[in-house]
Amino acid sequence: MASLKALKLRIGSVKSTQKITKAMKMVAAAKLRRAQANAEAGRPYSQRMAEVVASLASKVTPGPDSPKLLAGTGKDDTHLIVVASGDRGLAGAFNTNITRAAKRKADELEAQGKTVLFYFVGKKGRPLFQRLYPKAIVGQFDTSAIKNPAYADAQAAAKDIVDRFESGQFDVAHLVYSTFKSVLLQEPTTDQIIPVKVDRADAKAGAASAAVEYEPDEDEILKALLPKNIAIQIYRAMLENQAGFYGSQMTAMDNATRNAGDMINRLSIQYNRQRQAAITTELVEIISGAEAL
């Protein structure tokens, strides 16, 4: 059984930890408001960009002169999984959920006989794959010094990925990140970003609704838009991840604060019981000594 002094020190230690977790919760809550606003503001633009690119792509028959980001390499043997995660922990299962989604996608592709490679945006997604697929990691974009993601950061990551695609390192790229739903819910999402996915059935259904003439032609427009679309989708993933991270951290620190409070209560009860028992023992010894005299 722990001594009274040890219990008192333990209570003081837990109280100090509780102050830290409470402060971290408040900081995460303050940062969450801005991060959530940025993520929500970026969604319409990224969604509309994806729709415009898909619409243009549906009007183009892939051929030798088509942009490679649209036509692809002509095969799908090697797949790159871009894992966008956070750079810090203490956020519950936020980073773990992203890596699990990426691992599921990797297992699915390997079951189909595909070769899987990994590229990381953020460092917390790397350790699992460093252990399981040490030879399959082809690159990482360091975001540890980035406090608030900017489009220029996403452009740099997108350029690195596109350059690897142009050099023939992979045939298809998938982006895995966490979509922010609420403080309590962040949903891991997997999107194919290279080559652009086109639903030909939807394109035929929409062909009769509008006749649009492009100047210059669709191929030229797509050559300019496709790299930007990849950068925008990565930028959206970075914004969604930032909001999801702060939401998860706020929830985790709130739970930690409440758990610390429960522990303090239990330790205080134990401390008071032992203190009362010690006082009772001393009284019994004093009374017994007085009677002996």
Side-chain angles (χ1 to χ4, degrees):
M1 184 178 292
S3 66
L4 289 174
K5 184 178 180 180
L7 285 171
K8 193 170 183 179
L9 290 173
R10 183 78 188 281
I11 291 170
S13 175
V14 176
K15 283 183 177 179
S16 297
T17 302
Q18 186 184 43
K19 289 179 182 179
I20 294 171
T21 57
K22 189 174 182 179
M24 291 182 67
K25 174 193 169 185
M26 294 173 65
V27 171
K31 291 183 177 180
L32 172 63
R33 284 190 284 271
R34 180 178 178 181
Q36 182 177 351
N38 289 340
E40 291 174 348
R43 286 173 190 167
Y45 188 79
S46 63
Q47 289 170 355
R48 186 58 181 159
M49 173 63 90
E51 290 170 5
V52 168
V53 169
S55 176
L56 282 167
S58 68
K59 296 174 173 59
V60 174
T61 301
D65 297 328
S66 299
K68 192 175 180 182
L69 289 172
L70 169 64
T73 60
K75 54 184 180 178
D76 67 340
D77 298 333
T78 304
H79 290 244
L80 178 71
I81 298 179
V82 182
V83 184
S85 65
D87 290 295
R88 291 175 292 162
L90 298 178
F94 173 75
N95 293 306
T96 302
N97 289 338
I98 294 174
T99 54
R100 283 176 179 170
K103 177 68 165 56
R104 283 195 298 269
K105 186 65 178 178
D107 291 343
E108 175 189 327
L109 292 170
E110 286 189 331
Q112 298 171 11
K114 311 296 183 184
T115 300
V116 180
L117 303 175
F118 297 94
Y119 185 96
F120 300 97
V121 178
K123 65 182 183 181
K124 279 296 181 180
R126 182 166 182 149
L128 172 67
F129 300 99
Q130 186 75 55
R131 187 176 74 252
L132 298 178
Y133 305 91
K135 297 182 180 179
I137 297 173
V138 297
Q140 178 173 342
F141 182 75
D142 186 12
T143 59
S144 58
I146 300 173
K147 293 184 178 179
N148 295 304
Y151 178 61
D153 301 319
Q155 275 185 311
K159 184 180 184 305
D160 189 15
I161 293 168
V162 170
D163 288 345
R164 293 173 186 276
F165 174 70
E166 297 284 356
S167 66
Q169 288 190 25
F170 62 91
D171 305 310
V172 182
H174 309 271
L175 176 62
V176 183
Y177 61 99
S178 182
T179 300
F180 178 81
K181 298 291 186 181
S182 69
V183 173
L184 299 176
L185 178 61
Q186 296 83 37
E187 181 180 329
T189 304
T190 303
D191 294 330
Q192 180 178 313
I193 56 174
I194 299 176
V196 62
K197 293 185 72 174
V198 181
D199 192 329
R200 300 290 172 183
D202 288 348
K204 290 180 180 178
S209 63
V212 180
E213 203 169 302
Y214 293 96
E215 180 66 30
D217 60 23
E218 289 90 341
D219 281 340
E220 290 299 319
I221 297 173
L222 283 170
K223 284 180 182 178
L225 284 185
L226 286 170
K228 291 183 179 180
N229 179 56
I230 294 170
I232 287 168
Q233 301 312 319
I234 292 175
Y235 184 43
R236 177 189 175 180
M238 294 170 75
L239 293 176
E240 295 280 355
N241 275 355
Q242 187 181 51
F245 172 81
Y246 287 130
S248 291
Q249 188 176 64
M250 190 178 80
T251 301
M253 292 302 102
D254 181 55
N255 291 336
T257 301
R258 286 189 283 105
N259 290 341
D262 293 340
M263 184 177 291
I264 290 169
N265 289 337
R266 290 196 302 270
L267 291 172
S268 296
I269 291 171
Q270 185 179 352
Y271 175 83
N272 290 333
R273 284 177 176 171
Q274 286 190 217
R275 182 170 176 272
Q276 187 61 48
I279 293 171
T280 302
T281 301
E282 288 179 2
L283 287 174
V284 169
E285 291 176 352
I286 292 169
I287 294 170
S288 299
E291 290 180 349
L293 292 174

